Amino acid sequence: MIEALKGEEIIHKVGGKFKLTALIQRRIGEILQGAKPLVERQPGMTDLELVIEEIIADKISIDYDATGITPPKKLH
């Protein structure tokens, strides 16, 4: 299991479980179509692990302005 998915921080970072799932799905599709990773890919790293690392490193996110989706509230 990917440790980052066990906590709530990554879920809050993008605004919910469904938004996180959609972001992961879209980015994995881009990776499968030949997009270059935005973080260094470690040996044996799966596409899912790569995308999670990209989200944690703030390399990818949801474009709330373009999509019209309400951004998540900041945690204090």
Side-chain angles (χ1 to χ4, degrees):
M1 181 66 152
I2 299 170
E3 290 298 316
L5 294 177
K6 289 182 180 179
E8 296 288 318
E9 184 178 331
I10 194 167
I11 294 169
H12 290 292
K13 186 173 202 164
V14 296
K17 292 178 184 178
F18 295 111
K19 291 175 186 173
L20 175 62
T21 302
L23 180 59
I24 291 170
Q25 181 181 6
R26 181 178 202 110
R27 182 62 180 150
I28 287 177
E30 291 173 353
I31 297 289
L32 291 174
Q33 292 178 357
K36 293 184 180 182
L38 302 174
V39 296
E40 186 176 334
R41 186 175 209 141
Q42 302 298 319
M45 184 181 268
T46 66
D47 291 339
L48 177 58
E49 291 169 324
L50 176 71
V51 171
I52 296 301
E53 286 300 317
E54 289 180 340
I55 295 169
I56 291 169
D58 291 324
K59 299 293 183 176
I60 62 170
S61 62
I62 296 172
D63 185 349
Y64 292 101
D65 292 332
T67 61
I69 299 172
T70 305
K73 295 178 182 174
K74 300 282 184 189
L75 293 178
H76 298 282

